[in-house]
Amino acid sequence: MTTSRSSDIALERKGVNTTRRNFLKNMSLVGGGLVVGLPVTGCANVLLPNAHESVLQPNALLQITSDNVVNFYLPRSEMGQGIYTGLTTIVGEELDLDPQQINVINAGLHEDYKNTEFKLQVTGGSNSIRTHFLPLRHLAANARLVIRQAAAQQLNLNLADIQTDNGKIMIKGKALDYGEFADYANTLPFPEDAPLKDKHEFKYIGKDNRRLDGVAKATGTAQFGIDVDFEGLCGAALKRCPIMGGTVKSFNDSDAKGMPGVKSIVKIHNGVAVVADHYYQAKNALPKLKIQWNLPKTLSKFSSDSTAADNGKGLFKTALDSDNATNVFEKGDGLTALKHAHTVISAEYWAPYLAHATMEPMNCTAKLADNRLELWVGCQSPELAKNLAAYYAHVPAENIIIHSTFLGGGFGRRSESDFVAEAAAIARASNLPIKLCWSREDDLQNDSYRPASMARFTVSLNKAGLIDSWTVKRAGPQLMPYAIDNVVDGIMPSILPNSLVDWMSKAGYRLYNSLLVDHTSVEGLYEDYDAPHKSSDHVTADPGLPVGAWRSVGHSYSGFFKESMMDEIAALQNQDSVDFRLKHLKNNPKLANVLKVAAEKAAWNKGLPKGHYQGVAVHASFSSFVAQIAQVSVVNNQLFVHRVVCAIDCGLAINPGIVKAQMESGIIDGLSAALYGEITLQDGVVQQSNYHDYPALRIHKSPEIDVVIIDSDEAPTGVGEPGLPPIAAAVANAIFAATGTRLRSLPLKLEG
Amino acid sequence: MISFELNGKTTEVTVAPDTALLWVVRDHLKLKGSKFGCGMGLCGACSMLIDGESTRTCVLPMAAIQGRKVTTIEGIGTPDMLSTLQSAWVEASVAQCGYCQSGQLVSATALLRKNSNPSDNEIDEAMSGNICRCGTYPNIKKAIKQAAKDLGEDSGQLQMVAYFDPNSIQQEA
């Protein structure tokens, strides 16, 4: 992964401190070189590898060592979405170095790695490429310039004569490694305004590059959190309350103690943990624990299939019918418009709780020694993880070191740090270095679920058959109160006693829910289409099951709701689904364009095989615009999804292959949810436990997928999530075309 | 004591006979390429070749392994010596999160060993035991077909490793 050192060219130089360089080499340290990054504070609690500890490190993203190793410390978490390759491509482009030759390191914690939008070190919101596009280009362009300046000064040449080509300084037909000039460059002021390349100069951006993590992931050598191992590391398993939020009243571990390999049994905040020589031994001992639980009051009463007005779907329906809603968006005068409407159409939709079911179960390794906690974890929010771990391990946050790994899937699940908190608590209570691993059952039954949601649309049309008013009300839990509950523990100053922090986090839930609406609750329900009058309301209906960000967050249900509604209106008006949408996208040209492109690519309603039907859906999310057309057949009430055409406008596609893969990924993930996904509860207990009752789409059900990426010069936007929201509606609308049956609930179930 | 062949090397372990092969390979023998996904043989992340057949090892007791040949992802190819299938996988940039990929490659290797030119339906059938939550299925199909083509042109090998030295492992973090 490193460029070879060119030493065959002897050029006279000035100002190289060879003594220091040799000293460092002899010490087997790579101390010389250039360490640059975005300008931030020096509050580093992690010393970068590959740097001598005496070297001042104000910045932490990029290193060019005098040994000509270019290290890029990946500030975001790679969970499949491709930023390991994408961000490195951006760096390589302006550095003029093949990204394949850049050594990418999953970064630990550092101020420089903060997500500029969230102001925390968090990966999410499909914003990694979007927010890093310019800063990383400037960083790399400035680094390339300072290397050129160093070369010019050392070789007594004009800067204009110093050109670069793939990591080499080119002089008179000869090539010298960047690393040759790294030491000297480090003595120069770091430039701030090196010009950026024009699009037509790009060598790597916009090209089909191989993924940089491809070899490691094809050979089983990519390290995930679950693969972390060292001498003396014990395996830990945790028995939690069958109803989330419950705590241990009392327990008896006499039968578990004698199980093979068991070393320690400890009670923590949410359960009883067994620590053993190996994880499988700890897991085997769990059933031997006898635990009495304090059950959570609210959630224990909830059953998904209850028909009562205050339970099951009735809880949501009652909320919708109530007058308690909070208005989130208002434009025009919808009530008056309704009075004068020519036609009014109303419909209700439902989307259930969903689990993330990442392939890699949650896990975290924790080693506590000398009031210092080391964590090894693949997570989306290492900064919150650190703070929560500090709270649960009773260690100052500055004494925590996080080693980041690849993530075996994220989808939002790993933005939560509950499993890190558990690992920290077990390490503290057992005084052993432990790797906590969750079973699949733990994973499906202790998630931060996609909130179940019910929505009611009331849409009025004018005489011309165009939408006059668009009113929508959504009932369901909100994410933010749960996030506050989790986050407050992690962000409060450590001088506050834990009991006060606990009180604040619980109070935060109630305060938030009674005063504020989290925008993710309603996002995507009302924005996309033209209407003179619009109104969107939210009302909280919350059985008490923890909820969190699930790939595309609110859009994961609003895409289905809104696009099904639009299809219903078009059908009732006997209008073509594509034409009717286009009539209402005059103010949304990018969404209109992807719709036209997808319709053309899919040969919308032209010459389909016998028995095949199409359905369309469009949705804007994470600053990107996506249209999808699903082609299905229904035979004896069996649904087959044959083909999906997808068009996306995500601005400039950094790696078109990854954009295409993310569209396929969003569609397949969205199909799992559309066809199967449903978490249900019985008296508060999650009923699903593994992939047999919470299935994921398998290869033989996976449709042919054609992706069109709109050619664009605009700055890049999100791709990890926007491919998901339209697919459920595209399939449901195709089912309507095939059968005349309108399915308003997810998952889509054809009556047998 | 249970004796079996792991990646070309005779291996002996002393564990409870009902211990699943996956945990012995991962925790006792320290080969981390095979993954734990479901513990019920449903997802395929733990797949290994047992006498050439792709097998779910999270539910396979060691007692059933005595005297048999076990090949893990580490025994198929290495970063420096990719099998033809692994090369096709890298070229097609199949992996996303990557967690299920060892299992996918094991199942695809077993398929190509038996069927040098699988149809779409045959690929579906052979690979339907392996879940990928990232949805890499379109690229999996592409890579399997490319590898079949390359192997058919006699320009590759399904398995590059005759004997795997566990001390050679380097994980990329």
Side-chain angles (χ1 to χ4, degrees):
Chain A
M1 296 291 241
T2 61
T3 50
S4 63
R5 188 175 167 81
S6 66
S7 54
D8 55 328
I9 303 168
L11 283 163
E12 199 176 327
R13 304 159 172 243
K14 62 177 184 183
V16 180
N17 183 344
T18 50
T19 313
R20 176 170 166 265
R21 180 182 281 185
N22 287 338
F23 166 74
L24 292 170
K25 269 191 195 157
N26 291 340
M27 296 290 288
S28 303
L29 295 165
V30 191
L34 189 60
V35 182
V36 292
L38 306 174
V40 211
T41 70
C43 172
N45 79 339
V46 58
L47 187 70
L48 293 182
N50 309 303
H52 188 273
E53 59 184 1
S54 67
V55 171
L56 179 66
Q57 289 187 167
N59 308 295
L61 284 157
L62 185 65
Q63 291 174 324
I64 302 172
T65 73
S66 46
D67 278 9
N68 202 39
V69 179
V70 178
N71 290 313
F72 173 47
Y73 290 82
L74 187 71
R76 299 277 74 81
S77 306
E78 173 60 58
M79 49 190 154
Q81 83 279 40
I83 42 88
Y84 189 92
T85 306
L87 296 186
T88 310
T89 302
I90 293 169
V91 169
E93 186 64 68
E94 294 291 349
L95 208 51
D96 197 12
L97 173 63
D98 186 342
Q100 299 281 347
Q101 301 202 42
I102 296 176
N103 186 38
V104 187
I105 297 165
N106 288 321
L109 268 172
H110 196 286
E111 290 286 306
D112 290 8
Y113 305 144
K114 277 189 194 296
N115 186 314
T116 52
E117 280 189 357
F118 299 137
K119 315 289 183 208
L120 281 169
Q121 192 172 332
V122 173
T123 304
S126 293
N127 78 3
S128 297
I129 292 282
R130 180 164 59 79
T131 57
H132 285 285
F133 181 59
L134 274 178
L136 284 181
R137 286 176 73 198
H138 283 298
L139 169 69
N142 290 332
R144 176 170 160 267
L145 177 59
V146 79
I147 292 277
R148 286 177 60 226
Q149 288 170 342
Q153 290 183 28
Q154 284 197 280
L155 303 171
N156 279 321
L157 295 167
N158 291 324
L159 183 64
D161 295 331
I162 308 285
Q163 300 305 316
T164 60
D165 183 34
N166 191 20
K168 308 274 187 192
I169 292 289
M170 307 301 290
I171 305 150
K172 298 172 188 161
K174 293 181 177 176
L176 294 169
D177 288 339
Y178 283 179
E180 303 270 329
F181 304 98
D183 252 3
Y184 191 85
N186 208 17
T187 67
L188 301 176
F190 194 67
E192 290 177 355
D193 52 1
L196 300 179
K197 286 185 181 179
D198 282 335
K199 189 188 173 191
H200 74 270
E201 296 176 280
F202 287 163
K203 290 183 189 172
Y204 309 110
I205 288 178
K207 309 290 187 282
D208 264 322
N209 308 304
R210 272 184 284 128
R211 282 182 71 115
L212 303 178
D213 49 1
V215 170
K217 289 176 175 178
T219 52
T221 55
Q223 189 186 46
F224 297 88
I226 205 168
D227 302 327
V228 169
D229 207 347
F230 49 79
E231 190 65 34
L233 179 63
C234 302
L238 178 66
K239 191 160 179 174
R240 301 167 191 80
C241 181
I243 303 173
M244 286 189 77
T247 54
V248 178
K249 187 191 284 176
S250 63
F251 71 102
N252 180 332
D253 62 3
S254 51
D255 291 347
K257 270 182 179 163
M259 291 291 284
V262 171
K263 297 180 89 152
S264 176
I265 295 176
V266 293
K267 179 185 149 186
I268 64 164
H269 54 281
N270 65 339
V272 179
V274 176
V275 179
D277 289 326
H278 299 289
Y279 166 68
Y280 69 87
Q281 295 169 325
K283 189 184 176 201
N284 287 344
L286 279 192
K288 303 283 183 187
L289 289 170
K290 296 184 185 78
I291 307 177
Q292 301 292 315
W293 300 99
N294 300 308
L295 298 178
K297 285 196 184 109
T298 310
L299 185 56
S300 302
K301 291 179 196 150
F302 187 77
S303 293
S304 301
D305 63 358
S306 167
T307 53
D310 60 350
N311 207 339
K313 284 186 191 173
L315 182 77
F316 294 76
K317 174 96 169 156
T318 302
L320 272 187
D321 290 340
S322 76
D323 297 326
N324 295 334
T326 306
N327 181 258
V328 182
F329 182 84
E330 185 79 49
K331 185 185 102 172
D333 180 2
L335 278 181
T336 309
L338 271 180
K339 281 182 199 150
H340 303 108
H342 182 264
T343 309
V344 177
I345 299 165
S346 189
E348 275 175 27
Y349 299 91
W350 167 256
Y353 284 110
L354 292 176
H356 296 79
T358 60
M359 289 306 299
E360 181 190 18
M362 299 304 110
N363 63 83
C364 177
T365 296
K367 183 182 172 189
L368 183 63
D370 305 327
N371 205 31
R372 187 170 156 271
L373 181 68
E374 269 186 280
L375 297 170
W376 289 259
V377 62
C379 71
Q380 292 176 241
S381 54
E383 197 173 347
L384 291 173
K386 175 192 73 173
N387 293 335
L388 266 190
Y391 174 89
Y392 283 101
H394 313 305
V395 167
E398 59 270 22
N399 287 8
I400 292 182
I401 290 176
I402 293 197
H403 306 278
S404 300
T405 65
F406 283 114
L407 284 63
F411 315 126
R413 178 62 182 89
R414 287 188 157 89
S415 61
E416 305 290 341
S417 302
D418 49 341
F419 53 102
V420 179
E422 291 173 350
I426 296 168
R428 159 61 62 185
S430 68
N431 207 24
L432 289 165
I434 59 103
K435 175 163 65 188
L436 170 70
C437 186
W438 289 31
S439 66
R440 179 59 54 196
E441 290 78 11
D442 294 335
D443 178 62
L444 288 179
Q445 301 185 334
N446 296 276
D447 204 343
S448 287
Y449 300 89
R450 191 280 300 274
S453 299
M454 191 178 276
R456 178 184 298 153
F457 291 85
T458 306
V459 176
S460 70
L461 306 177
N462 62 23
K463 277 185 192 162
L466 293 172
I467 295 171
D468 191 36
S469 71
W470 179 276
T471 304
V472 56
K473 188 180 193 182
R474 178 263 181 183
Q478 302 209 82
L479 302 192
M480 195 51 79
Y482 288 92
I484 289 174
D485 195 1
N486 293 330
V487 169
V488 162
D489 298 340
I491 59 174
M492 284 294 126
S494 54
I495 49 164
L496 296 179
N498 279 3
S499 56
L500 178 60
V501 174
D502 286 342
W503 176 83
M504 289 171 76
S505 66
K506 299 300 172 205
Y509 175 94
R510 287 193 298 274
L511 277 172
Y512 195 100
N513 250 341
S514 42
L515 296 175
L516 296 163
V517 175
D518 172 356
H519 189 70
T520 65
S521 298
V522 294
E523 63 186 0
L525 286 171
Y526 60 89
E527 300 93 324
D528 284 344
Y529 293 112
D530 302 334
H533 310 281
K534 280 189 187 181
S535 170
S536 179
D537 288 358
H538 162 82
V539 55
T540 297
D542 190 353
L545 185 69
V547 293
W550 187 97
R551 196 176 192 171
S552 80
V553 201
H555 298 286
S556 70
Y557 49 81
S558 67
F560 171 67
F561 295 167
K562 179 205 67 177
E563 285 303 299
S564 296
M565 186 67 204
M566 200 62 182
D567 220 64
E568 296 216 38
I569 304 166
L572 283 167
Q573 296 291 301
N574 289 317
Q575 297 240 1
D576 176 80
S577 293
V578 170
D579 291 343
F580 187 72
R581 281 175 172 78
L582 287 174
K583 281 179 188 169
H584 294 88
L585 289 171
K586 305 277 191 237
N587 293 302
N588 203 341
K590 287 182 180 172
L591 201 55
N593 185 48
V594 290
L595 174 56
K596 286 180 203 160
V597 169
E600 189 181 335
K601 177 80 177 173
W604 173 248
N605 281 344
K606 281 180 212 154
L608 287 174
K610 192 167 184 295
H612 283 214
Y613 297 86
Q614 287 175 320
V616 64
V618 300
H619 198 76
S621 62
F622 306 94
S623 311
S624 291
F625 302 83
V626 176
Q628 288 170 1
I629 293 176
Q631 183 177 322
V632 313
S633 62
V634 179
V635 181
N636 298 328
N637 279 317
Q638 288 280 305
L639 171 69
F640 299 89
V641 183
H642 301 280
R643 182 181 182 221
V644 177
V645 170
C646 172
I648 175 165
D649 183 340
C650 57
L652 177 67
I654 305 299
N655 291 108
I658 291 179
V659 174
K660 180 171 179 285
Q662 282 311 297
M663 291 306 102
E664 292 167 351
S665 178
I667 288 164
I668 289 168
D669 197 0
L671 281 173
S672 288
L675 305 184
Y676 315 123
E678 188 172 29
I679 289 290
T680 56
L681 297 103
Q682 183 68 47
D683 300 322
V685 179
V686 171
Q687 298 297 289
Q688 290 70 29
S689 61
N690 210 311
Y691 285 120
H692 64 288
D693 53 12
Y694 193 78
L697 200 80
R698 291 175 186 266
I699 196 167
H700 61 289
K701 295 281 190 186
S702 177
E704 177 194 339
I705 299 172
D706 290 307
V707 178
V708 184
I709 302 168
I710 305 296
D711 191 32
S712 171
D713 287 343
E714 292 190 32
T717 53
V719 299
E721 296 168 274
L724 190 143
I727 189 61
V731 171
N733 295 341
I735 291 171
F736 177 77
T739 64
T741 302
R742 180 63 63 184
L743 299 178
R744 298 191 180 93
S745 288
L746 291 177
L748 304 170
K749 287 176 187 162
L750 290 157
E751 297 304 322
Chain B
M1 189 166 64
I2 294 158
S3 174
F4 64 108
E5 189 185 303
L6 178 64
N7 297 328
K9 186 188 170 196
T10 302
T11 304
E12 289 173 342
V13 290
T14 305
V15 293
D18 62 348
T19 310
L21 172 62
L22 175 69
W23 295 117
V24 172
V25 168
R26 281 185 57 86
D27 287 0
H28 292 259
L29 303 171
K30 309 291 182 190
L31 295 187
K32 306 292 190 186
S34 312
K35 304 302 185 195
F36 169 59
C38 70
M40 284 181 72
L42 297 167
C43 78
C46 63
S47 301
M48 299 177 201
L49 297 174
I50 311 285
D51 297 330
E53 294 280 342
S54 178
T55 308
R56 313 291 164 252
T57 63
C58 67
V59 287
L60 189 67
M62 284 307 292
I65 295 302
Q66 174 67 39
R68 299 179 74 179
K69 277 176 78 168
V70 177
T71 306
T72 67
I73 187 70
E74 290 89 351
I76 289 176
T78 66
D80 296 329
M81 257 190 330
L82 297 173
S83 77
T84 303
L85 187 67
Q86 286 171 319
S87 292
W89 222 263
V90 172
E91 281 304 315
S93 290
V94 174
Q96 290 185 28
C97 89
Y99 193 77
C100 73
Q101 299 285 300
S102 298
Q104 302 280 1
L105 277 146
V106 163
S107 290
T109 299
L111 166 66
L112 289 178
R113 183 169 287 174
K114 279 185 284 192
N115 182 344
S116 59
N117 188 23
S119 66
D120 280 345
N121 282 342
E122 286 165 338
I123 292 175
D124 279 353
E125 199 174 318
M127 302 301 294
S128 64
N130 292 79
I131 293 174
C132 173
R133 288 281 293 113
C134 298
T136 61
Y137 304 132
N139 283 333
I140 286 176
K141 286 185 187 176
K142 199 168 133 189
I144 291 175
K145 286 179 181 175
Q146 184 61 47
K149 192 163 166 267
D150 294 344
L151 289 162
E153 288 164 5
D154 222 16
S155 61
Q157 283 186 47
L158 258 185
Q159 200 173 329
M160 293 300 292
V161 180
Y163 165 84
F164 181 77
D165 173 9
N167 295 321
S168 69
I169 302 172
Q170 280 199 330
Q171 284 202 328
E172 184 167 322

